[in-house]
Amino acid sequence: MIDKKLTIWCILVLMFVSSRVTGQNSPFNYDESRVPSYSLPELLITNDGTTVANRREWERKRRPEVLDLFTTHMFGRVPNHVDNELRFEVVEHGLVLQDSARRLQVRLFFNAIKDTPAVDLLIYLPVAANSRDACPMFLGLNFMGNHTITNDPQVPVTKSWVRNRAEIGYENNQASAAARGTSAHRWPIRLLIDSGFGVATAYYGDIDPDFDDGFKNGVHSIYPKVADPTGQQWGSIATWSWGLSRILDYLQTLKSVNPKQIGVIGHSRLGKTSLWAGATDPRFALVISNESGCGGAALSRRQFGETVQRINTSFPHWFCDKFQDYNANENALPIDQHMLIALIAPRPVYIASASEDLWADPVGEFLSGRMAQPVYDLYGLAGLGVKMKPEPNQPVGNHVAYHLREGKHNLLEYDWRQYIEFAIRHYARNK
Ligand code: GCU
């Protein structure tokens, strides 16, 4: 019986992996010639049909409308009574990387009651040896616990719920020390510190464990689901984004950090999250979407690789219930993902894809950056500067930037090097 189950499970995994990589034998479309014809919702025409002619009209009228459309139809609404005032406790600090960086571990409590779920924040800051300037930072959530992003033994193994993964010793939904450093390749701390950047991360499951439990755990346990016939309860992506904003509250209080130079970054589902965090919280100085795909940077109407129906079926808890109305019905959406990119304007946004990551639709990710340009134009800001997706490893763009990294779905040092350069360029301009 167990063998049979295991075999079926292995077949499903193999089917998924092969469809992700090659698209063969897959119900999903990986053929550009089979992308349906579609027309995108108008970015600069308001709900009452008037055309937006300048920034003021965008900021006063259309931007709030677009933000509300994403809230209502896709990500869900943060309840009005949520307490945004978190409590912070510094748990530990020390010097690392031959004293070139300071490590800070901080615990965030969701409200005044001590026993409520908490988020453990891990921060590395450059020790400003020859500079009096406060540092710029990147903030991003991680997938497997803070101890997986570094070999630093001072970072404790997460006690939060984790998805089982035998290869790193995660069993019974408990993390293990065997996983220490297994995601370090995604977090090049040395490179960031040497480039003058601080970096902060937290395990996304601290904010909301990533499984469909009917809105009972994580932040949802403090603000339980209330009946909402309009289907606008905040999904997990909205809770993770909200958590990023609360972490930002804290980072902005640090004296050695420049509060106007904190960028938000995320990979894959956490790239969807960083885009929504950037859209909802203008304090994020720049936004990075690493292979965010469907529900992130990729245009839904293209139905290339992962579709709305597929994402809502595999991960029903990521979005609000209302988003289910658009399963196999993308053209009925009053929004598409270029409008999510436009919500970030005039701040810089970087969209990255990988050449073998067809599941995330690199063309669709590129196009959403291109189709957001009319809003950047209102600010006189240059965007991608090219009409076609560039060849691998040839970054393009200005305020909207893009690259297609050679290789698989991942967040690698190549990607980080582009993000660091991008941030240096923009922060130098806005000094
Ligand atoms: C799945 C999912 C994607 C998501 C990815 C990830 O592949 O279909 O939408 O981006 O997981 O987060 O790793």
Side-chain angles (χ1 to χ4, degrees):
M1 182 65 185
I2 289 184
D3 277 358
K4 201 172 160 195
K5 266 194 179 163
L6 196 68
T7 313
I8 293 173
W9 176 237
C10 288
I11 290 171
L12 281 173
V13 169
L14 276 174
M15 276 173 65
F16 174 75
V17 170
S18 79
S19 74
R20 176 142 207 158
V21 174
T22 66
Q24 279 157 17
N25 305 322
S26 155
F28 301 101
N29 180 34
Y30 292 96
D31 178 351
E32 201 54 44
S33 70
R34 283 178 46 221
V35 169
S37 65
Y38 60 89
S39 50
L40 293 176
E42 291 288 350
L43 191 48
L44 292 182
I45 299 193
T46 63
N47 293 347
D48 63 14
T50 40
T51 302
V52 170
N54 52 44
R55 312 177 191 175
R56 190 186 146 91
E57 287 169 18
W58 164 255
E59 285 171 12
R60 295 266 170 101
K61 185 141 192 219
R62 185 58 177 155
R63 189 182 186 280
E65 274 180 11
V66 173
L67 193 62
D68 193 63
L69 289 170
F70 274 102
T71 306
T72 307
H73 296 269
M74 195 169 179
F75 294 108
R77 210 166 281 285
V78 178
N80 288 334
H81 61 287
V82 163
D83 182 0
N84 286 331
E85 301 271 310
L86 305 203
R87 256 182 341 99
F88 304 99
E89 255 174 49
V90 176
V91 178
E92 185 270 350
H93 60 94
L95 287 172
V96 289
L97 302 176
Q98 291 86 41
D99 297 352
S100 62
R102 199 152 57 89
R103 179 192 56 238
L104 203 56
Q105 300 196 69
V106 182
R107 179 160 272 212
L108 281 62
F109 295 93
F110 287 126
N111 62 23
I113 305 160
K114 201 156 183 164
D115 293 336
T116 57
V119 178
D120 286 328
L121 186 55
L122 172 63
I123 305 171
Y124 291 98
L125 297 171
V127 173
N130 45 20
S131 150
R132 272 179 289 119
D133 290 346
C135 71
M137 288 201 78
F138 287 101
L139 163 64
L141 299 174
N142 66 70
F143 281 86
M144 240 85 79
N146 293 347
H147 65 291
T148 64
I149 74 121
T150 167
N151 287 307
D152 184 343
Q154 293 303 318
V155 180
V157 174
T158 181
K159 293 199 170 63
S160 294
W161 179 96
V162 291
R163 190 173 303 286
N164 289 339
R165 283 191 55 181
E167 71 277 21
I168 55 168
Y170 283 16
E171 279 167 8
N172 303 317
N173 303 118
Q174 276 168 5
S176 117
R180 186 174 294 291
T182 47
S183 296
H185 62 284
R186 287 191 174 169
W187 297 89
I189 296 166
R190 163 64 82 188
L191 173 69
L192 283 155
I193 295 292
D194 288 350
S195 311
F197 283 77
V199 56
T201 187
Y203 170 49
Y204 79 139
D206 281 0
I207 302 167
D208 192 17
D210 190 3
F211 65 95
D212 184 21
D213 74 328
F215 293 86
K216 289 197 195 69
N217 54 22
V219 175
H220 289 123
S221 68
I222 316 172
Y223 307 109
K225 185 172 182 174
V226 285
D228 177 3
T230 66
Q232 290 178 45
Q233 298 94 348
W234 51 339
S236 293
I237 292 177
T239 59
W240 299 326
S241 305
W242 173 82
L244 283 166
S245 286
R246 304 291 66 82
I247 295 173
L248 178 62
D249 295 342
Y250 175 74
L251 295 178
Q252 287 196 321
T253 67
L254 293 174
K255 281 206 179 59
S256 49
V257 172
N258 185 331
K260 297 208 168 110
Q261 295 186 344
I262 303 175
V264 62
I265 179 169
H267 170 61
S268 212
R269 70 198 66 184
L270 297 177
K272 309 179 208 299
T273 304
S274 69
L275 286 172
W276 187 231
T280 50
D281 194 335
R283 295 174 304 162
F284 285 113
L286 58 79
V287 180
I288 290 160
S289 152
N290 195 82
E291 299 157 29
S292 59
C294 180
L299 293 175
S300 302
R301 279 169 174 73
R302 281 174 45 83
Q303 299 170 46
F304 189 103
E306 187 170 29
T307 59
V308 169
Q309 171 151 357
R310 167 59 191 249
I311 205 166
N312 275 332
T313 310
S314 315
F315 308 101
H317 56 295
W318 283 2
F319 302 93
C320 66
D321 290 349
K322 175 80 183 154
F323 195 44
Q324 304 268 352
D325 290 357
Y326 305 101
N327 290 348
N329 187 24
E330 287 84 353
N331 288 318
L333 270 165
I335 41 171
D336 211 318
Q337 302 308 101
H338 63 307
M339 299 163 90
L340 181 60
I341 305 300
L343 286 173
I344 294 159
R347 290 162 294 150
V349 57
Y350 200 122
I351 302 167
S353 314
S355 61
E356 292 175 40
D357 187 18
L358 298 187
W359 183 243
D361 186 13
V363 173
E365 294 184 306
F366 171 81
L367 286 177
S368 69
R370 207 183 106 191
M371 303 315 277
Q373 187 57 35
V375 174
Y376 282 86
D377 285 342
L378 295 177
Y379 293 88
L381 296 172
L384 292 169
V386 292
K387 288 210 159 57
M388 303 282 285
K389 176 174 69 77
E391 293 301 307
N393 298 354
Q394 291 182 18
V396 293
N398 198 317
H399 268 74
V400 183
Y402 177 88
H403 72 247
L404 176 71
R405 180 182 40 73
E406 180 103 65
K408 294 192 190 335
H409 185 66
N410 210 336
L411 170 58
L412 299 178
E413 189 175 315
Y414 175 86
D415 304 303
W416 276 103
R417 285 191 182 275
Q418 315 316 313
Y419 305 149
I420 290 170
E421 263 183 42
F422 180 67
I424 289 175
R425 204 167 359 118
H426 287 284
Y427 294 149
R429 189 176 300 162
N430 299 326
K431 249 199 162 128

